[in-house]
Amino acid sequence: MLSQESLKLIDVEVAKYPPDQKQSAVMAALRIAQQEKGWLARETIDEVAQYLEMPAIAAFEVASFYNMYDLEPVGKHKITVCTNLPCALSGGVQAAEYLKQKLGIDFNETTPDGNFTLKEGECMGACGDAPVLLHNNHRMCSWMTTEKIDQMLADLAK
Amino acid sequence: MSERNLILAGLDGDRTWRLKDYMARGGYAALKKIIAESTPPADIIAEVKASVLRGRGGAGFPTGLKWSFMPRSFPGAKYLACNSDEGEPGTFKDRDILRYNPHSVIEGMAIAAYAMGCERGYNYIHGEVFEIYERFEEALAEAREAGFIGQKILGSDFSFELFAHHGYGAYICGEETALLESIEGKKGQPRFKPPFPASYGLYGKPTTINNTETFASVPFIMRDGGETFLNYGKPNNGGTKLFSISGHVNRPGNYEIELGTPFSELLEMAGGMRGGRKLKGVIPGGSSSPVVPADIMMDCTMDYDSISKAGSMLGSGAVIVMDETTCMVRALERLSYFYFEESCGQCTPCREGTGWLYRVVHRIEHGQGRPDDLDLLNSVTGNIMGRTICALGDAASMPVQSFIKHFGDEFAYHIEHKTCLVPEDVQREGSKIYVGPSC
C-alpha cells in the first residue's frame, strides 16, 4: 500500500489535468510510487492504476515503456552513466569503466551488499557536462572525474 | 554573456532565475503591455511572422505560420504545449534556459496562449533533469502568485493555466504527437498525421507545440519588435540561437550567437580544439543530422540555410565536435545503438531496421564486417526512410548514410583489415575523462 504522503503527492499531480483526464497523472504517480518503494512491483502498479481509475494493463504499459521506471529491485543507489557519443568523446565510456571496476559489477548488476546498481543511460540532455551520472533518477552529477566518482561513492556508502 | 545574447541576456549563473530578477531585466513587460492594450491576437501572430522566428526544436518551421494554423473560433478547449523533452544526443540548451531563465518560457507561453486562445498549457520536461522540473514548478508558483498565469490574468478576461509535466526517459516523446500521448498518460508512440495537432491534439483538441527556446524568444520579439529580432540574424533566419557544443573542444557548453555567425568563430568561442588537435568532422544539429567533414564545416555559417547547403541540418543547434582521434565507425555504432534502443516499436521498418543497422555497424567495428556491408546499410536505410509514422526512422538513417558517404574509406578499412584506422590507444587518449575549466 502506498503511504498517505505519496497519495497526497499524487493528488497534486492529478489536479494539473482536466477532471476527466486522471490518467494523465500516471507517469508522475508511478514516479512517486517508485520513490517510496524503491522499484515498481506489479501490485504497486496495480494500486496506482486503481487509484487513477484506469486499467492496470495501461499503467503497466507506461511503466514498461519509459526507461527510468525500475520493474525489478535495484540497489539503494542506482547510478546511471551516459555513454552516448557526445559524452563518450569527453570520457563517458571511461567513467563507466572506472565505475564498473570500482564497484566490481557490470551494467544492470547490483553489488552483493545491495548498495549500488549500475546502469547505462541514454542522452540525459547534459552533454556539455560530460561525464554525467544520474543518482537515483533525480540527482544529476556533472563533470565526473575519477576523483569526484571516488568522493561520490564514499559519500553514498556512508 | 555578450550583447549578442537575447535569451541569456543579463543572467548571472544560478543567481538570477527568480521572478524579481526576470522583471528587473524587463521581463513580463511584453505580456503586461499586450493585456493593458488588449492587443488583437492577429497582431501578435503578425509580429512573430515578421521576426522570422523558426522552431528551435529541430525542424525550423516558421513559428508565426504554425500559430496561424490554430482555428480562431473553435468552441471549447484549446491547448498549448512546450517541448522541453530534450534528449537528442548533443542537445542541452533547453536545460539551461529553464535553469537560468524559466520565466522567459512562461511569459512566451502566456503570450502564445493569448494569441491562439488557449486556456491551458503544459511544459513537458525531459525525465533525466528532475532538478530542472522542480525549479520550473517553483517559477510557475511565482508567476501564479504574481498573476501572470492563472484565472483572469492581470485583471483581464484572459485566463491561462500552465503546468509542468515530467517525462521519465523516452527520447521519442520529443516527437510532438508522442509528447501529447505521453501527457495523456500513455506510451509515447507517435500518432499518424494528418490530422495535425492544430486540429486534433491533446485530448483531441486543437493544440500547438513549440520548443522551449522558441517560446523563450517570444517576449523579446513582442517587446523590441519582430524586425529587431530578425536583424540579429540574417534574412530567412531571424534572431539569435543557442548552440550546444559538445565533444572535443576546450570549453563545451551553450553559446548564444546571431544566426549566420561563421562556424570557425563559434569553435573559437568554445575554446578551440582540445589539445590543439585537428578537426575531423562535425555533427552540426544533433545526432540525427548528417555528419559534415571538417573542411566543409569550416566554410559554413551557423544558420538553417548554410548548414542545409552543406548537406546537413541545423536541427536543434547541437554541435558535436570530433577530432582526428575519433574512430568514425565506433562513433556511428554508438549512435545506431541509441536509435535501436529508442525506437518505440510501432512501425516495422524502424523497429526492425534500427536493430539491423546497429548490428551491421557493430560487426564492422568488431572486425566481422563483410565486403557488401556498406551496400547493405545503404539499402536498409533506403527501406526505412519515408516508410514510418514519425521521423525517428529517418533520424536513425541519416547518420548512417552520411558517415558512409564522407568517411567510407574508414569503413572499408575496418572491413578489410578487421581493425580501426585510428589506433586504440590514440582513441582512448582523445576521449579520456575530460577535466575541463568547469571541473
Side-chain angles (χ1 to χ4, degrees):
Chain A
M1 291 289 283
L2 289 168
S3 67
Q4 284 306 311
E5 291 77 56
S6 289
L7 295 179
K8 253 189 228 159
L9 289 172
I10 293 174
D11 290 342
V12 172
E13 296 295 330
V14 170
K16 290 179 177 177
Y17 307 96
D20 56 344
Q21 300 290 347
K22 276 176 105 167
Q23 180 172 340
S24 283
V26 68
M27 289 183 70
L30 290 170
R31 158 170 57 82
I32 291 161
Q34 178 166 290
Q35 284 298 106
E36 182 190 327
K37 303 283 186 190
W39 65 289
L40 293 174
R42 271 310 284 266
E43 60 261 31
T44 310
I45 298 171
D46 289 352
E47 191 188 342
V48 165
Q50 207 172 12
Y51 193 73
L52 296 176
E53 296 162 357
M54 63 190 282
I57 186 64
F60 185 75
E61 274 188 354
V62 170
S64 58
F65 186 85
Y66 299 90
N67 62 30
M68 287 164 68
Y69 298 115
D70 294 305
L71 302 185
E72 283 165 20
V74 291
K76 203 167 127 202
H77 304 289
K78 182 174 86 165
I79 296 174
T80 315
V81 195
C82 178
T83 58
N84 209 310
L85 178 63
C87 275
L89 297 173
S90 288
V93 171
Q94 293 183 34
E97 285 170 4
Y98 185 73
L99 274 161
K100 285 181 191 173
Q101 178 218 324
K102 273 281 291 196
L103 297 171
I105 51 174
D106 208 336
F107 286 135
N108 301 317
E109 289 180 359
T110 301
T111 52
D113 61 6
N115 258 342
F116 293 100
T117 298
L118 195 59
K119 293 261 178 189
E120 183 173 35
E122 287 303 342
C123 187
M124 299 172 183
C127 325
D129 298 6
V132 182
L133 317 178
L134 205 57
H135 171 239
N136 285 347
N137 290 332
H138 290 177
R139 187 167 67 99
M140 189 174 276
C141 310
S142 297
W143 302 294
M144 296 306 282
T145 57
T146 49
E147 294 77 24
K148 285 172 84 174
I149 291 172
D150 288 344
Q151 187 62 50
M152 181 179 113
L153 294 181
D155 289 346
L156 294 177
K158 273 178 197 163
Chain B
M1 311 293 153
S2 69
E3 72 283 357
R4 306 170 122 187
N5 291 349
L6 306 182
I7 294 169
L8 301 179
L11 301 180
D12 181 15
D14 219 15
R15 285 183 286 272
T16 50
W17 66 270
R18 291 203 170 269
L19 178 70
K20 62 174 171 43
D21 308 307
Y22 181 64
M23 291 185 71
R25 296 193 290 271
Y28 288 111
L31 179 66
K32 280 192 211 161
K33 184 161 178 272
I34 286 166
I35 289 188
E37 294 175 2
S38 302
T39 309
D43 290 7
I44 297 174
I45 294 176
E47 200 65 46
V48 174
K49 278 185 180 166
S51 76
V52 199
L53 171 63
R54 294 170 62 171
R56 300 301 197 223
F61 192 80
T63 305
L65 187 59
K66 195 182 216 182
W67 288 10
S68 69
F69 293 155
M70 283 287 267
R72 291 268 170 92
S73 51
F74 182 83
K78 283 188 271 186
Y79 292 101
L80 189 65
C82 176
N83 187 345
S84 302
D85 191 28
E86 181 178 56
E88 164 108 349
T91 316
F92 50 92
K93 64 188 179 66
D94 298 336
R95 171 182 177 231
D96 273 3
I97 294 171
L98 293 173
R99 174 157 61 173
Y100 300 131
N101 206 7
H103 284 285
S104 66
V105 179
I106 297 174
E107 185 182 7
M109 288 189 77
I111 294 169
Y114 177 94
M116 290 179 275
C118 303
E119 59 178 38
R120 196 180 265 263
Y122 294 95
N123 185 9
Y124 191 105
I125 298 175
H126 190 51
E128 282 83 349
V129 293
F130 187 71
E131 289 138 319
I132 303 296
Y133 164 77
E134 286 184 310
R135 170 161 299 178
F136 193 73
E137 286 278 28
E138 271 193 74
L140 282 176
E142 286 185 325
R144 220 170 266 140
E145 172 80 33
F148 294 128
I149 52 173
Q151 291 298 309
K152 301 206 173 295
I153 292 173
L154 301 172
S156 70
D157 285 338
F158 167 54
S159 298
F160 175 59
E161 298 285 359
L162 178 57
F163 302 96
H165 183 102
H166 186 228
Y168 228 55
Y171 167 67
I172 191 62
C173 290
E175 198 279 344
E176 60 181 15
T177 59
L179 182 146
L180 297 178
E181 288 284 300
S182 188
I183 297 179
E184 291 182 3
K186 300 170 186 161
K187 291 184 288 185
Q189 291 190 319
R191 298 175 183 169
F192 201 82
K193 285 166 283 194
F196 291 95
S199 51
Y200 190 93
L202 185 61
Y203 309 127
K205 305 293 184 195
T207 303
T208 289
I209 304 112
N210 287 125
N211 169 259
T212 319
E213 187 183 354
T214 310
F215 282 126
S217 305
V218 170
F220 178 90
I221 291 168
M222 295 315 298
R223 202 176 59 225
D224 291 38
E227 206 183 320
T228 312
F229 184 82
L230 172 61
N231 289 338
Y232 268 84
K234 67 183 220 185
N236 198 34
N237 297 268
T240 59
K241 163 112 194 66
L242 267 72
F243 287 93
S244 308
I245 308 195
S246 63
H248 293 141
V249 294
N250 281 314
R251 284 196 301 273
N254 284 311
Y255 297 88
E256 184 177 356
I257 54 173
E258 299 97 336
L259 284 171
T261 304
F263 169 73
S264 55
E265 210 173 296
L266 180 63
L267 185 59
E268 216 167 284
M269 289 172 80
M273 296 301 295
R274 194 173 291 173
R277 291 191 295 264
K278 208 170 137 226
L279 180 68
K280 185 170 187 174
V282 174
I283 301 175
S287 61
S288 310
S289 64
V291 65
V292 179
D295 53 334
I296 300 178
M297 197 63 209
M298 289 308 279
D299 288 337
C300 285
T301 56
M302 299 308 289
D303 55 82
Y304 297 96
D305 296 340
S306 172
I307 301 294
S308 159
K309 240 168 94 184
S312 189
M313 304 183 307
L314 191 72
S316 54
V319 183
I320 307 171
V321 176
M322 294 175 284
D323 71 20
E324 56 194 333
T325 68
T326 313
C327 167
M328 295 316 244
V329 182
R330 180 167 290 180
L332 179 63
E333 182 198 12
R334 187 59 184 87
L335 291 181
S336 294
Y337 179 77
F338 169 73
Y339 291 105
F340 165 52
E341 170 73 25
E342 297 293 339
S343 171
C344 83
Q346 190 172 212
C347 311
T348 309
C350 174
R351 183 185 65 240
E352 304 302 324
T354 52
W356 200 355
L357 291 176
Y358 167 64
R359 287 190 299 275
V360 174
V361 178
H362 178 80
R363 79 178 176 219
I364 296 174
E365 169 62 18
H366 290 82
Q368 288 152 353
R370 301 167 195 169
D372 54 359
D373 271 354
L374 299 186
D375 291 337
L376 175 62
L377 286 172
N378 280 324
S379 145
V380 174
T381 58
N383 281 306
I384 296 174
M385 292 181 84
R387 290 178 159 86
T388 54
I389 288 175
C390 85
L392 192 140
D394 290 34
S397 302
M398 285 184 290
V400 174
Q401 291 178 341
S402 62
F403 270 75
I404 292 176
K405 180 177 167 200
H406 294 298
F407 299 97
D409 290 353
E410 206 170 324
F411 284 78
Y413 185 94
H414 268 81
I415 293 170
E416 195 183 333
H417 298 275
K418 318 226 170 283
T419 184
C420 288
L421 187 61
V422 183
E424 180 71 25
D425 56 330
V426 173
Q427 288 183 48
R428 281 195 72 83
E429 179 60 24
S431 294
K432 66 182 179 192
I433 295 177
Y434 184 55
V435 184
S438 308
C439 290

